[in-house]
Amino acid sequence: MALANSSGHYFVMKSYSNLYDKVCDFENIKLAWKEARKRKTLKSYVIEFDKYFKENLLQLSVDLIFHSYRPLPLNSFVIRDPKTRKISVSDFRDRIVHHAICNIIEPLFDKCFIFDNYANRKGKGTLAAIKRLNYFMRKVSHNGSIVKRSKNKVRGFFLKGDIKHYFETVNHNKLIELICGKIKDRELLFLINNILKNYSPKQEGVGMPLGNLTSQFFANVYLNELDQFVKHELKTKYYIRYVDDFVILHNDKSLLYYYKDRINEFLKTKLLIELSLNKSKIKPLNRGIEFLGFRNFYYHKILRERNIRKIYRKLCNLKNNYDHKIIDYDRVCEVFQGWMAYARNANTYKLRQKIIKIVEQNFPNEISTIEFNQIVKLVKARRK
């Protein structure tokens, strides 16, 4: 049960100590290594680490036990897709430590997260979040009922909230305070503090790197305070959050404006962050909710214009890299099939046919290893 203390923080009374030994345990380190290398086994840094993986894992476990472990400097780079973002990636050895920590403490925190927090949690994810949002839209609109004297406008409104520069503004002291509400192990808190300090932000004591597993997990811990406030203080029924994006649906537009003001006040005073007022808007449901790459209407979904432009740019880059023999057709096929699987979740039949035509024109008479293996399986099945 979530309770509020005098400072207005929501927390679960049960806390845990003696966790550091579990983090350092060799079997946990080995499990963390397996998780960190998933879908990265062909990367040069993974191949190098795996040459002597038993010795490397044992040394890492010993370094943690004797407190001699220190994270290496982050590898930072900027991407423009189209928004400019600074991505900071940890060394592979450090990523193993991140997994080792999350293996132990994530289940403890997950128990106190609300159901409708969908980011970086087992059994959740983007598609589950979209499905839940559609359910909320049906509830608020009374199964798509039309507003009287309107041009087929579905009933209801939504507040689409976005937190301003979220990862860059997370306060380390506040985060540690929230973690201390559940974790009482001083050794583990020291390790977590070292990981936070490894990032070099514009302002000391503020910010987390985009790209780290621990950042994604700590982001949920930090904004769980917001979730608890919205659900228990504001008592909103139709609320859903994915990282720093959230949506509240209601029939009363004025109440959504009230929620927006209260939420921004809470974020500023309790979490030392704030809403992005330019991006946090209240609109009628018939305008469609832009959430997780889709524009969600009551009767259908479409891809955001930005995401459509993104796939065209990606195809051009793939073609250029393929022509210069930087990548092979297997990589092209991997990107293409991944996008097709994503696009099928919206009403995109014509767009998908257009993309298929572009791929066939740019890469004629090509077949990937995956496609070849599928054909071989079909031939063998028919012979049987």
Side-chain angles (χ1 to χ4, degrees):
M1 179 179 177
L3 302 174
N5 60 18
S6 58
S7 63
H9 293 131
Y10 290 88
F11 63 95
V12 176
M13 291 298 293
K14 188 173 182 180
S15 60
Y16 299 85
S17 56
N18 302 319
L19 297 173
Y20 192 70
D21 289 344
K22 295 180 180 179
V23 172
C24 303
D25 181 75
F26 183 78
E27 289 304 316
N28 182 50
I29 297 293
K30 189 175 179 181
L31 175 62
W33 163 69
K34 289 179 179 178
E35 291 169 341
R37 70 194 293 274
K38 279 181 181 177
R39 295 180 292 277
K40 296 180 178 66
T41 53
L42 298 180
K43 298 286 186 180
S44 58
Y45 56 82
V46 176
I47 294 171
E48 187 65 28
F49 189 94
D50 286 0
K51 285 180 183 178
Y52 307 100
F53 75 92
K54 287 184 180 178
E55 294 85 348
N56 289 332
L57 293 178
L58 186 60
Q59 184 61 55
L60 183 55
S61 179
V62 169
D63 288 347
L64 287 167
I65 290 169
F66 288 99
H67 306 288
S68 58
Y69 165 80
R70 293 294 181 273
L72 294 172
L74 298 169
N75 176 30
S76 298
F77 53 92
V78 175
I79 62 169
R80 294 173 178 85
D81 201 17
K83 187 189 296 184
T84 301
R85 296 177 185 269
K86 180 184 177 184
I87 306 296
S88 298
V89 180
S90 294
D91 184 80
F92 181 66
R93 184 171 181 265
D94 297 328
R95 280 181 251 174
I96 295 172
V97 175
H98 299 169
H99 278 277
I101 293 170
C102 290
N103 284 348
I104 302 303
I105 69 174
E106 188 172 7
L108 310 180
F109 279 93
D110 196 76
K111 295 175 184 177
C112 66
F113 291 162
I114 66 167
F115 180 83
D116 291 312
N117 165 9
Y118 279 86
N120 309 305
R121 297 176 67 195
K122 292 179 181 178
K124 301 291 184 177
T126 56
L127 296 182
I130 292 295
K131 186 177 180 180
R132 183 69 166 171
L133 180 65
N134 291 336
Y135 170 76
F136 285 170
M137 292 172 73
R138 290 196 299 273
K139 286 291 185 180
V140 170
S141 67
H142 300 288
N143 290 325
S145 61
I146 304 300
V147 178
K148 291 181 179 179
R149 300 186 183 89
S150 71
K151 296 180 180 179
N152 294 327
K153 290 184 179 179
V154 174
R155 178 182 298 182
F157 301 89
F158 68 90
L159 162 61
K160 171 64 168 56
D162 180 89
I163 296 170
K164 186 177 181 180
H165 305 308
Y166 176 52
F167 280 89
E168 297 173 23
T169 55
V170 169
N171 185 280
H172 292 181
N173 290 336
K174 180 62 66 174
L175 176 59
I176 290 294
E177 178 188 328
L178 295 174
I179 294 172
C180 284
K182 200 129 183 94
I183 305 298
K184 301 299 183 184
D185 190 312
R186 290 185 179 182
E187 292 175 297
L188 181 52
L189 291 171
F190 177 79
L191 176 60
I192 290 171
N193 202 38
N194 275 342
I195 291 171
L196 290 174
K197 287 181 178 178
N198 193 43
Y199 181 56
S200 301
K202 297 176 182 177
Q203 182 183 346
E204 190 176 348
V206 174
M208 297 189 300
L210 276 171
N212 276 358
L213 176 69
T214 47
S215 297
Q216 297 166 16
F217 171 65
F218 293 150
N220 267 345
V221 173
Y222 206 78
L223 284 184
N224 183 53
E225 297 292 295
L226 171 63
D227 298 340
Q228 302 296 340
F229 172 75
V230 171
K231 297 298 289 185
H232 297 286
E233 185 72 23
L234 299 182
K235 300 187 184 302
T236 61
K237 194 172 183 181
Y238 303 116
Y239 165 82
I240 187 169
R241 181 176 66 81
Y242 193 96
V243 192
D244 59 336
D245 289 331
F246 65 86
V247 179
I248 302 176
L249 299 91
H250 206 279
N251 275 316
D252 189 340
K253 189 176 182 180
S254 61
L255 190 59
L256 289 177
Y257 278 106
Y258 170 75
Y259 288 159
K260 182 180 177 181
D261 291 340
R262 288 290 308 276
I263 287 170
N264 202 29
E265 179 188 358
F266 176 84
L267 292 175
K268 285 181 177 180
T269 56
K270 304 299 182 184
L271 296 179
L272 309 179
I273 53 179
E274 61 182 320
L275 286 178
S276 173
L277 298 179
N278 292 332
K279 296 180 180 178
S280 301
K281 302 289 186 181
I282 295 169
K283 298 178 181 179
L285 279 181
N286 66 284
R287 294 279 297 276
I289 306 173
E290 289 197 355
F291 191 56
L292 302 180
F294 299 97
R295 193 169 181 184
N296 300 271
F297 296 89
Y298 182 82
Y299 291 105
H300 67 286
K301 292 190 292 290
I302 59 175
L303 297 185
R304 296 174 66 180
E305 287 294 329
R306 187 172 73 186
N307 290 16
I308 296 173
R309 290 194 297 269
K310 181 177 174 181
I311 185 59
Y312 283 123
R313 285 198 305 271
K314 189 168 281 187
L315 287 173
C316 287
N317 290 335
L318 288 171
K319 173 65 174 170
N320 184 58
N321 290 338
Y322 176 81
D323 290 342
H324 288 85
K325 302 188 184 302
I326 298 173
I327 61 171
D328 58 15
Y329 185 68
D330 279 2
R331 174 57 183 162
V332 175
C333 188
E334 180 186 339
V335 173
F336 169 67
Q337 290 188 345
W339 183 85
M340 289 290 285
Y342 155 74
R344 284 192 187 97
N345 293 292
N347 301 79
T348 57
Y349 177 78
K350 289 183 179 179
L351 174 63
R352 282 184 280 128
Q353 294 304 309
K354 193 173 181 181
I355 296 298
I356 290 170
K357 191 174 181 180
I358 291 172
V359 171
E360 288 176 345
Q361 288 174 347
N362 286 339
F363 307 97
N365 305 319
E366 286 286 2
I367 183 168
S368 69
T369 304
I370 296 172
E371 292 170 321
F372 179 78
N373 289 337
Q374 289 173 344
I375 292 170
V376 170
K377 285 182 181 179
L378 284 173
V379 170
K380 287 182 177 179
R382 287 178 180 175
R383 284 177 178 175
K384 288 178 180 180

